[in-house]
Amino acid sequence: MTGAVALASGPGIEAAAFALDPAPALASAVEVLWDLLRPGTLLRIGLDALSKFGLYVTVAAGLSLIFGLMGVLNFAHGSLTMVGAYLGGAFMVATVTAETGGIGRLLLFFLAMALAFAAVTAVGAAIEVSLIRPIYDRPPLFQILLTFGVVLVVDELARIVLEFRGIQPSTVWEAPWGTRPAVLGGFYDVFGVSTRGIYMFEALVGLAVVAGTWWFLTETRYGLHIRAGSEDAEMAQALGIDVHRSFTVVFGVGAGLAALAGVLLMWDPRFGASVPLGVETLLIAFVVVIIGGLGSFRGTVVAAGIVGLTDATMTWLFQTHVPFPGLPEMVMFLVLVLVLIVRPQGLFGVAEVGGH
């Protein structure tokens, strides 16, 4: 009898009573909503969302460009981002010294971006010519399997080189973090909200990548040739446009943008250079590109904003009210599933993209 009384008043019964009574849950939800609507909270989420928008649009821009104009799903995109992170980190560690000032470190960072972009653009162009072009007439599954094979080769090569150099490939390489200038490494107070300088820098770089890619596609003669080749390759060839060379340039530039994103991530304390960075960024890129709509660069930009805002809001929620830091990433995939159910072609997707 005593045991029955103890069971009736134990923690399991209290939890069941809490679950059956909606009043505490409702009060907790109102408290979370009230906290969310505070100006300081909204500003904190907005600043975090801006930073993540810059990162996500930079990571996804190359993948969107390649699929949108060529119809090729490049599974090696994440691995090329990882390569860019290590190339940029190695350059910065080799060139930055204790005497290097803030402006000098920024100039070296942009030089690292340019060199990584050029090197990986050349590698991407070589991959397109030697591996992708011979299977253009095959079903898309061949391209997926081939680029997945490139992932395995690149990742294993990276592991061999890193272990030879005494760097642990599975954990974040922290040495490049010490090359950040003080202006980006510190915290700043923005109307009472503390944020890192590197986060605002990432937002600016993301906007520059969007503007540069948009300008290249819409304002240059080569961008016109590329768009013409993707719309109707036979007609473009009849007009004297070298479509094969255009696609080589697109694949090379898309790979170069992946490396450029890697250099940016190399300084970010939430990511850093590591071999698993390839898979992590590939998932983010696919989520952004699919939500925006395969083949639409405008959709990629909008989707990066949506995913960045969702991630920032969920990060705030699960760090301040629900102690489970792994859920923000899960919510990103829930948004992807919801978009696929409501609008399978994505927010700005078209029925058919790319062409050879």
Side-chain angles (χ1 to χ4, degrees):
M1 183 66 179
T2 304
V5 172
L7 180 63
S9 59
I13 297 300
E14 292 176 359
F18 182 86
L20 292 174
D21 185 2
L26 181 61
S28 179
V30 170
E31 180 185 352
V32 171
L33 183 60
W34 180 256
D35 190 14
L36 174 64
L37 295 178
R38 289 170 50 211
T41 303
L42 293 176
L43 180 59
R44 174 185 169 186
I45 293 174
L47 291 174
D48 193 23
L50 273 177
S51 165
K52 289 178 175 174
F53 162 77
L55 283 180
Y56 295 167
V57 78
T58 306
V59 168
L63 185 69
S64 174
L65 201 65
I66 291 173
F67 187 82
L69 297 175
M70 301 174 60
V72 174
L73 268 177
N74 180 22
F75 271 68
H77 188 79
S79 294
L80 296 175
T81 303
M82 176 268 294
V83 170
Y86 278 113
L87 288 178
F91 180 83
M92 295 302 293
V93 170
T95 56
V96 172
T97 64
E99 289 75 27
T100 307
I103 295 178
R105 294 181 183 221
L106 277 177
L107 292 176
L108 287 173
F109 174 80
F110 287 118
L111 180 58
M113 273 191 156
L115 292 175
F117 178 83
V120 179
T121 295
V123 171
I127 291 175
E128 194 277 338
V129 171
S130 60
L131 301 178
I132 306 292
R133 186 179 297 178
I135 60 171
Y136 274 147
D137 295 332
R138 305 286 182 86
L141 179 62
F142 283 76
Q143 299 167 3
I144 294 174
L145 293 175
L146 189 145
T147 54
F148 183 70
V150 174
V151 171
L152 299 179
V153 172
V154 171
D155 286 6
E156 285 308 309
L157 283 176
R159 288 180 192 278
I160 293 171
V161 172
L162 292 171
E163 289 177 355
F164 180 75
R165 300 292 298 177
I167 300 172
Q168 175 56 247
S170 299
T171 57
V172 173
W173 186 33
E174 297 182 359
W177 292 352
T179 64
R180 282 191 307 237
V183 68
L184 299 183
F187 287 85
Y188 295 90
D189 186 87
V190 181
F191 298 107
V193 176
S194 179
T195 185
R196 288 177 180 266
I198 184 68
Y199 294 166
M200 297 300 96
F201 179 71
E202 290 166 347
L204 293 175
V205 172
L207 291 173
V209 168
V210 171
T213 306
W214 195 272
W215 173 82
F216 173 71
L217 290 176
T218 60
E219 300 297 331
T220 66
R221 179 177 291 276
Y222 216 86
L224 177 65
H225 290 178
I226 291 171
R227 287 187 289 121
S230 64
E231 290 290 335
D232 191 333
E234 293 182 358
M235 179 61 73
Q237 282 180 321
L239 294 174
I241 296 175
D242 189 341
V243 175
H244 288 307
R245 188 173 65 181
S246 299
F247 285 152
T248 302
V249 170
V250 169
F251 200 92
V253 170
L257 286 174
L260 192 144
V263 179
L264 187 60
L265 293 170
M266 168 267 299
W267 264 357
D268 192 302
R270 297 166 295 190
F271 292 90
S274 70
V275 172
L277 178 69
V279 175
E280 191 175 357
T281 53
L282 180 65
L283 291 176
I284 292 174
F286 269 118
V287 168
V288 171
V289 170
I290 293 173
I291 289 177
L294 291 169
S296 170
F297 183 71
R298 180 179 57 173
T300 298
V301 176
V302 174
I306 294 173
V307 174
L309 181 60
T310 303
D311 190 10
T313 305
M314 292 300 106
T315 299
W316 166 82
L317 176 64
F318 291 115
Q319 286 182 349
T320 57
H321 291 280
V322 183
F324 198 96
L327 285 179
E329 288 79 9
M330 188 187 75
V331 174
M332 288 170 52
F333 291 103
L334 288 178
V335 173
L336 170 64
V337 172
L338 182 64
V339 170
L340 289 177
I341 292 174
V342 176
R343 191 173 170 81
Q345 72 271 32
L347 299 177
F348 294 87
V350 293
E352 185 177 352
V353 296
H356 310 291

